[in-house]
Amino acid sequence: MIKKADKSQTGSIKHMWLTCFPQEEESYIDYYFDKVYKPENTLVLIENGIVQSSCQRIPHEIMFNNRILRTSMIVGVTTLPTYQNRGNMAKLMDVVMDEVNHQELVTLVQAYNPALYKKYGFEMVYYHKETTFTRNEIQRISNEGCSYLIHSEDMLRLYASFVKRFNGFYIRDVAAFDRIKEEIEAQHGKIIAYYNEKQQLQGYATCLFTNKEVIFEECIYMNSVALTKLINLALQIRPAVKVNTSQVEDLRILFPGVQVKDIGFTMARINDMELFNRLYQVQATSLEEAFASSGKPLYMNEFY
């Protein structure tokens, strides 16, 4: 039986995540189920009173072709190991597809395993450009203006200015940046910032750490000085820094010799192409054409 989850099943679903996502910090899963998880956004497959599988649709608003578009991101599609390879995912996804066909124009999914979602009409639309820095690629400069203290209001102003050149970006407010801070902290990360001499925020990076690397999950910057300051500070913490940017931000222009690769990040599905074309007054015949119809590059960096 597939149904909407209720509060009594939250513990079972959280246990499922702890079992099936060992790569995630337990503190992060604690954060997710405390701050993000909602039963009404969750489907469960139950047999013999046991929650065997679950998935969630997290609602979002994105700015698409100068209109606010309500969409959702499918996350956490998972099955307890004992019940895997029984078609549970397919059963859940069939119900999800029926829901989205009636409720929203565009649906998104995390692109961790693209092959699983292609048969449901999802295609990769947004790639990260991952650039790796070591001390050899960037000069050592002072940390003047750098800080670990950053106000959400400052982050919002910088983000709003940065995304003007993009399409498909997530609508954020001050509360969204408060949540981003909590999400990064739950993963034992940090947010680093660079303020200029006028105390104006010029760049920030949300940082996660491995034994050898700092990973900039999001890096927003107004100029090359801000970007260099942030990377230089991170290289004092670990010997390498991986910076995730949009696909059009080729940092090799500023830093020749750095290693760069494109990584699939977000897949999308248009649930009604005819309605999409009428709404946005375009004549797209494919998802690729639809997502390129604004003429602007995409920036679809999602936080919960």
Side-chain angles (χ1 to χ4, degrees):
M1 176 176 63
I2 295 176
K3 54 175 285 206
K4 289 289 185 183
D6 59 49
K7 290 183 179 180
S8 69
Q9 294 152 348
T10 300
S12 297
I13 297 167
K14 182 177 180 180
H15 170 72
M16 189 182 300
W17 277 48
L18 290 167
T19 302
C20 299
F21 302 138
Q23 74 277 11
E24 298 288 358
E25 296 272 358
E26 186 171 345
S27 60
Y28 173 70
I29 293 178
D30 287 341
Y31 159 80
Y32 180 89
F33 279 87
D34 182 43
K35 300 291 187 179
V36 180
Y37 173 81
K38 293 181 178 179
E40 60 266 30
N41 295 334
T42 306
L43 285 175
V44 290
L45 187 153
I46 303 174
E47 296 291 345
N48 300 319
I50 299 172
V51 178
Q52 297 182 1
S53 305
S54 72
C55 72
Q56 288 144 55
R57 284 175 52 215
I58 300 179
H60 286 293
E61 290 185 339
I62 64 174
M63 183 63 72
F64 198 93
N65 290 18
N66 298 316
R67 289 176 179 262
I68 295 177
L69 179 66
R70 292 183 178 179
T71 181
S72 65
M73 174 74 75
I74 299 172
V75 303
V77 183
T78 186
T79 299
L80 287 171
T82 304
Y83 305 101
Q84 291 177 0
N85 302 313
R86 299 185 182 185
N88 284 11
M89 176 188 170
K91 294 175 185 177
L92 281 173
M93 287 299 296
D94 286 343
V95 175
V96 171
M97 291 299 96
D98 184 61
E99 285 187 350
V100 301
N101 282 336
H102 291 88
Q103 296 176 11
E104 60 194 27
L105 185 58
V106 174
T107 304
L108 309 173
V109 68
Q110 293 174 325
Y112 296 146
N113 194 339
L116 292 176
Y117 300 102
K118 285 184 177 180
K119 63 183 177 181
Y120 297 103
F122 288 92
E123 297 177 30
M124 195 73 69
V125 294
Y126 181 63
Y127 291 81
H128 271 168
K129 196 173 285 294
E130 181 189 83
T131 306
T132 301
F133 291 85
T134 65
R135 181 52 69 187
N136 293 332
E137 284 88 39
I138 196 163
Q139 64 181 354
R140 192 182 297 272
I141 57 177
S142 79
N143 292 336
E144 185 178 1
C146 293
S147 177
Y148 290 105
L149 299 175
I150 180 172
H151 298 294
S152 296
E153 293 83 356
D154 293 341
M155 296 176 74
L156 174 58
R157 280 192 290 269
L158 184 64
Y159 176 81
S161 179
F162 180 83
V163 296
K164 286 179 181 178
R165 72 195 79 169
F166 293 99
N167 190 38
F169 56 87
Y170 290 84
I171 304 298
R172 297 181 187 172
D173 55 17
V174 171
F177 283 98
D178 290 340
R179 291 192 298 271
I180 288 171
K181 289 179 177 180
E182 292 179 336
E183 184 175 333
I184 295 298
E185 183 178 354
Q187 297 173 87
H188 306 293
K190 294 182 180 295
I191 298 179
I192 58 176
Y194 168 66
Y195 286 85
N196 65 14
E197 64 278 0
K198 297 180 180 179
Q199 292 303 301
Q200 297 169 331
L201 182 66
Q202 299 293 290
Y204 73 79
T206 61
C207 304
L208 299 181
F209 304 101
T210 69
N211 290 336
K212 296 182 179 180
E213 299 170 333
V214 179
I215 301 169
F216 285 9
E217 279 207 315
E218 177 164 271
C219 185
I220 304 292
Y221 56 94
M222 294 306 295
N223 50 55
S224 61
V225 172
L227 178 62
T228 303
K229 286 275 190 176
L230 295 171
I231 297 170
N232 183 74
L233 177 59
L235 284 171
Q236 296 172 35
I237 303 171
R238 296 287 192 274
V241 179
K242 287 186 175 178
V243 180
N244 289 308
T245 61
S246 68
Q247 196 174 16
V248 296
E249 294 170 76
D250 191 345
L251 301 185
R252 287 171 293 192
I253 297 172
L254 296 173
F255 308 100
V258 293
Q259 298 179 20
V260 177
K261 61 180 179 180
D262 292 333
I263 298 175
F265 191 71
T266 301
M267 303 180 78
R269 180 182 193 267
I270 294 179
N271 301 315
D272 188 329
M273 184 66 78
E274 182 181 351
L275 178 58
F276 180 95
N277 284 337
R278 290 206 310 269
L279 177 64
Y280 289 110
Q281 298 182 343
V282 296
Q283 296 180 337
T285 59
S286 67
L287 188 139
E288 182 180 4
E289 288 182 0
F291 271 72
S293 58
S294 74
K296 292 182 178 181
L298 296 172
Y299 186 82
M300 303 182 74
N301 210 32
E302 181 225 21
F303 287 86
Y304 293 143

